[in-house]
Amino acid sequence: MRCKQADDQSEIEILTNLWLEPIFLLHIRVLNFLLSRISIKSIQKNFFSQLKPYKELGIRINLMGNQLKYLDKSIFSNLTNLEELELNENYLILIQNETFHGLVNLRILYLNNNEIKTIESGAFKYLENLRKLLLFENHLTFLHKNLFKNLKMLQYLSLSYNNLVNFDKTNLNTMQLLDSLFLSSTNLVKFEFINKSSNKLLYLAHFNELDLSNNRLKYFNNETLDGIENLSYLNMALNDLEYLISFSFYTMKNLLVLNLDSNKISKIEPMCFYGLARVNKIVLSNNRIFHLENNLFNNLANLNHVSLEFNYLETLNGDMFNNLPKIQVLNVSFNKLNLIEFNSLTKLDSLRLIDLRNNLIANLGNNKIINYLASISSIVLSSNRLKFLHSKLFNSSILINLVLNNNQIESIENDTFKFCSLSLREFHIESNNLK
């Protein structure tokens, strides 16, 4: 449904009971009321009472992108069949205890992109069937301890881009079905799932995704997220982590993606990633890593992708990557590598792409790289200090991409590319010193 406007009025300041007109049914059983972006500033208290004839149908109301600053208490109380409510992109400041009174069947609530500073402690107490709650990009600095107490069906919660500083873990106590929690850019300085005073763990059996990126977190260990062993995606990029101790992720046996990009990590203890049996991607780019311990990634049998770009690594050897049968992508670009021992990378049987651009590599030796990287299809060596390429260096019929531009190459032996000339689809050697 859509509001109807008088011909001489371009903006609606107050919604009265004259402004709704049926437009269409969605999936037969759900009515859409489209009231978005028409400059609504307030809504008459009994406005939605006119929807009583539709009580047998599900209802969705879209009030997105208006100029609402305030909602009367119980304004939606007659809408027991309301399933989705969009109040995002308004100017709401306060959510009161009775604002959502009666919305017992509401499943999705959009409150993001407002100016909400306060949510009263009982604001969500009627939303017992809510599945998805979006509160990102507001001005929240505090959440009442029992704010989410009645949201037992909630699966998705986004609080990103607020200024919470501390997140009270007791807010999660009753949300046993929670799947995704987003706390990015909330200025957090501390986050723990364990309650040390009672030693009681929060156990969230369905918890799958946690975003803690762009905060001020400095410390992490195996107790930080204890009790969420089914977590699949953990994003801790853009924090202030300085070191990772052994067994930091030991409890996360089902983790698939670990993102630690853009921290201040300079030290990683040898057994740090122990226990990550299912992880397929680890991102350590944009840190302060000078050295990797041998066997750091040992026995991560499902690891597929390692990102180490924009660090300070000087050497790379195979003992850093033992027993990684499925690794396909290794990115160590933008480091300080001056030596790479290809002959020590022979255990990386599945490696498809190695990115070594923007390092200090001056010599690849006279060993045939492909003898050690039998499955390699892409090699990126641009912006290094290479001067000479030896005979049959790239001796492979499966090499597809070879990037050698922006080096100092002066000489290439005749058969350097003999066996890869037919397979190559992308070949760059420009900006060198060839004559």
Side-chain angles (χ1 to χ4, degrees):
M1 295 193 174
R2 173 181 302 160
C3 72
K4 61 178 183 179
Q5 297 188 27
D7 294 338
D8 59 348
Q9 188 170 354
S10 59
E11 293 187 353
I12 299 174
E13 293 196 359
I14 302 176
L15 278 182
T16 68
N17 59 2
L18 302 175
W19 293 99
L20 287 181
E21 177 181 316
I23 295 295
F24 62 87
L25 293 174
L26 181 64
H27 304 308
I28 302 177
R29 59 168 294 278
V30 180
L31 276 171
N32 263 3
F33 291 86
L34 305 178
L35 297 160
S36 58
R37 304 190 189 283
I38 50 177
S39 303
I40 299 169
K41 293 183 179 178
S42 63
I43 303 174
Q44 191 177 52
K45 189 170 184 178
N46 64 346
F47 173 72
F48 291 109
S49 62
Q50 62 190 297
L51 301 184
K52 287 182 180 179
Y54 306 110
K55 63 182 179 180
E56 301 300 323
L57 298 170
I59 292 177
R60 295 176 182 173
I61 296 176
N62 185 345
L63 285 159
M64 176 181 67
N66 284 294
Q67 298 177 25
L68 293 169
K69 293 183 179 180
Y70 178 81
L71 294 172
D72 280 316
K73 291 183 178 181
S74 304
I75 192 171
F76 304 107
S77 60
N78 294 313
L79 302 178
T80 56
N81 53 336
L82 185 63
E83 295 182 0
E84 185 171 331
L85 178 58
E86 296 185 48
L87 289 164
N88 45 313
E89 297 181 33
N90 278 282
Y91 297 93
L92 297 173
I93 298 173
L94 168 68
I95 304 298
Q96 301 178 88
N97 283 336
E98 302 298 318
T99 299
F100 303 118
H101 177 264
L103 301 186
V104 293
N105 289 302
L106 191 68
R107 292 173 177 268
I108 304 176
L109 177 57
Y110 296 86
L111 288 167
N112 54 287
N113 297 89
N114 276 282
E115 297 180 3
I116 300 170
K117 294 181 180 179
T118 303
I119 303 176
E120 293 183 355
S121 59
F124 301 134
K125 64 183 177 182
Y126 302 103
L127 307 182
E128 57 193 43
N129 284 299
L130 194 68
R131 270 37 172 205
K132 188 173 183 178
L133 176 58
L134 293 91
L135 282 162
F136 62 88
E137 293 204 35
N138 279 288
H139 301 310
L140 294 168
T141 58
F142 171 77
L143 298 175
H144 284 280
K145 189 173 182 179
N146 295 313
L147 180 61
F148 306 119
K149 181 179 179 180
N150 289 352
L151 302 184
K152 296 179 181 180
M153 302 298 290
L154 197 69
Q155 298 171 5
Y156 183 105
L157 175 60
S158 178
L159 289 158
S160 297
Y161 296 95
N162 281 283
N163 190 29
L164 295 174
V165 183
N166 289 300
F167 181 78
D168 192 333
K169 52 192 168 291
T170 58
N171 273 310
L172 304 176
N173 275 336
T174 59
M175 294 189 285
Q176 296 299 309
L177 297 181
L178 190 65
D179 176 271
S180 302
L181 175 61
F182 297 87
L183 287 164
S184 174
S185 305
T186 52
N187 212 21
L188 286 177
V189 296
K190 186 177 181 181
F191 185 89
E192 287 183 331
F193 264 52
I194 190 171
N195 188 334
K196 291 184 178 179
S197 60
S198 65
N199 202 31
K200 181 181 178 181
L201 298 179
L202 301 174
Y203 183 69
L204 301 173
H206 300 276
F207 204 24
N208 179 66
E209 182 173 8
L210 176 60
D211 187 352
L212 293 168
S213 62
N214 199 25
N215 284 295
R216 295 189 291 150
L217 299 172
K218 291 185 176 182
Y219 186 71
F220 186 94
N221 65 21
N222 61 358
E223 289 187 347
T224 305
L225 298 176
D226 206 351
I228 52 170
E229 60 186 35
N230 289 318
L231 193 68
S232 295
Y233 303 92
L234 175 59
N235 187 356
M236 294 190 69
L238 294 160
N239 275 283
D240 294 328
L241 298 175
E242 295 181 358
Y243 64 94
L244 300 174
I245 65 172
S246 293
F247 307 104
S248 288
F249 306 97
Y250 176 69
T251 60
M252 299 182 195
K253 295 176 174 58
N254 291 297
L255 196 68
L256 298 177
V257 177
L258 174 60
N259 188 351
L260 295 164
D261 173 67
S262 299
N263 277 275
K264 299 176 181 177
I265 299 169
S266 59
K267 182 179 180 181
I268 306 176
E269 292 188 1
M271 302 294 284
C272 172
F273 301 122
Y274 183 81
L276 295 179
R278 296 187 62 196
V279 72
N280 58 54
K281 185 174 183 178
I282 296 178
V283 181
L284 287 162
S285 49
N286 291 289
N287 278 286
R288 301 174 180 178
I289 303 169
F290 286 82
H291 172 72
L292 293 177
E293 297 288 341
N294 288 343
N295 302 312
L296 178 63
F297 303 102
N298 193 26
N299 294 319
L300 302 185
N302 289 290
L303 189 61
N304 176 276
H305 187 136
V306 178
S307 289
L308 286 159
E309 63 268 30
F310 291 99
N311 279 288
Y312 299 92
L313 294 170
E314 295 183 357
T315 60
L316 194 67
N317 67 69
D319 290 333
M320 298 175 183
F321 307 100
N322 276 334
N323 300 317
L324 300 178
K326 294 186 179 180
I327 190 166
Q328 294 188 18
V329 178
L330 177 59
N331 190 341
V332 283
S333 60
F334 294 91
N335 275 275
K336 304 294 181 183
L337 292 174
N338 52 58
L339 176 65
I340 177 166
E341 300 172 9
F342 284 104
N343 60 337
S344 66
L345 301 178
T346 54
K347 296 179 181 179
L348 304 183
D349 297 330
S350 299
L351 193 65
R352 301 286 187 272
L353 166 65
I354 185 166
D355 191 341
L356 295 160
R357 75 185 118 165
N358 287 83
N359 278 285
L360 305 174
I361 301 169
N363 187 4
L364 296 176
N366 57 7
N367 293 309
K368 300 176 181 64
I369 292 175
I370 308 304
N371 286 356
Y372 309 117
L373 301 176
S375 299
I376 200 78
S377 60
S378 296
I379 300 174
V380 183
L381 278 159
S382 53
S383 301
N384 276 281
R385 298 181 178 180
L386 295 173
K387 292 185 177 182
F388 181 74
L389 301 180
H390 288 279
S391 173
K392 299 178 182 178
L393 187 62
F394 303 102
N395 182 18
S396 172
S397 58
I398 63 170
L399 193 61
I400 296 173
N401 301 308
L402 179 59
V403 184
L404 294 163
N405 56 295
N406 292 300
N407 276 281
Q408 302 168 21
I409 300 172
E410 299 174 351
S411 176
I412 302 174
E413 292 192 359
N414 291 335
D415 56 355
T416 298
F417 308 112
K418 180 179 179 181
F419 292 95
C420 64
S421 58
L422 295 178
S423 62
L424 279 177
R425 296 177 189 172
E426 185 175 348
F427 177 55
H428 294 283
I429 200 167
E430 59 270 19
S431 300
N432 277 286
N433 296 331
L434 293 169
K435 296 181 180 179

